Amino acid sequence: MKTIMVDVDEVLCIGGHLGVVNKFLNTSYKVEDLSGYYTEDLVPKERLQNYYQFFETQNVYEYANIIPDAVEVLEKLSKKYQIFICTAYYSDAYDMDQSHCLIDKYKWLQKIFPFINPYQYVFINEKSLLNCDIKIDDKLSNLKGYGEQKYLFDSYHNQEISDKELEKEGVVRVSGWKELADILLKEE
């Protein structure tokens, strides 16, 4: 059975961090309003320390929206492939305690994807270490290392990556879970 590495944020769900920022700032930013990867960049620098304290009290996944078709397609894929949820819970981009995010993400995965065994969760930042046959992620750097097939999940922050760069890296851009289903579930 072939293995698939699947990222969580911006692949299975979106908007969690943005929801926390919106609650803190009392704003209504949408994903389309972001110009970079980190939603925290929307917080004024003079308020960042207060935001970090606020963030430590929040469950990002209470604000997250499931990407369309993710649950249905992943469940079908789990009957044909061995699925590994490979995700970071910590970012060193900001100086705040993010340890609660591991537990929050774990519980969210259990609730939304009960058909995936928690023994197949891998919490890791350096995904190039993972050797899976198929890799699905929204960050090109996370697709480095071994993988027979590598798919960049289309997201707000990776639009500037050219087809030429993807081709050089052996990566195919996909627009969503239905497209992945068409590729990975076709009869062999």
Side-chain angles (χ1 to χ4, degrees):
M1 189 177 268
K2 287 192 172 192
T3 57
I4 299 181
M5 174 195 98
V6 179
D7 182 36
V8 174
D9 300 295
E10 280 69 60
V11 174
L12 296 177
C13 67
I14 194 163
H17 286 269
L18 186 58
V20 175
V21 167
N22 277 332
K23 185 171 182 182
F24 176 74
L25 294 175
N26 195 27
T27 53
S28 56
Y29 287 117
K30 294 182 174 81
V31 170
E32 300 81 38
D33 298 325
L34 296 169
S35 60
Y37 183 73
Y38 295 104
T39 57
E40 292 82 0
D41 291 342
L42 295 168
V43 178
K45 292 197 186 319
E46 65 275 5
R47 296 189 65 194
L48 272 176
Q49 286 306 317
N50 289 341
Y51 172 74
Y52 296 154
Q53 292 170 348
F54 177 77
F55 180 87
E56 292 173 18
T57 69
Q58 299 298 300
N59 178 345
V60 168
Y61 297 95
E62 289 179 3
Y63 303 92
N65 296 307
I66 299 167
I67 299 279
D69 306 305
V71 176
E72 298 80 10
V73 172
L74 206 59
E75 187 165 17
K76 289 177 185 174
L77 287 172
S78 72
K79 292 172 176 37
K80 184 176 178 180
Y81 299 94
Q82 189 174 17
I83 307 291
F84 288 91
I85 302 295
C86 302
T87 183
Y89 75 92
Y90 177 82
S91 170
D92 59 4
Y94 294 97
D95 184 26
M96 61 180 154
D97 181 7
Q98 301 164 64
S99 58
H100 69 287
C101 293
L102 186 144
I103 294 167
D104 295 341
K105 188 176 277 195
Y106 178 93
K107 288 179 179 178
W108 182 84
L109 286 166
Q110 283 286 280
K111 178 181 173 188
I112 306 300
F113 302 96
F115 51 89
I116 305 244
N117 187 324
Y119 287 131
Q120 293 170 223
Y121 298 168
V122 180
F123 293 95
I124 187 169
N125 281 32
E126 185 52 58
K127 295 180 186 178
S128 66
L129 299 171
L130 301 172
N131 290 334
C132 287
D133 300 304
I134 300 164
K135 292 183 172 185
I136 304 167
D137 208 296
D138 62 301
K139 286 181 77 177
L140 186 58
S141 60
N142 288 340
L143 295 170
K144 297 208 179 292
Y146 174 78
E148 293 174 15
Q149 296 168 264
K150 299 176 184 182
Y151 299 100
L152 182 70
F153 202 90
D154 204 28
S155 191
Y156 65 91
H157 62 85
N158 64 26
Q159 299 301 302
E160 77 290 346
I161 301 171
S162 69
D163 291 341
K164 187 175 181 178
E165 186 177 354
L166 292 175
E167 185 178 330
K168 179 182 167 198
E169 296 293 329
V171 174
V172 174
R173 183 185 297 271
V174 292
S175 62
W177 281 100
K178 282 191 177 184
E179 184 176 356
L180 278 167
D182 290 343
I183 295 167
L184 299 174
L185 292 173
K186 62 184 171 189
E187 294 300 319
E188 296 178 350

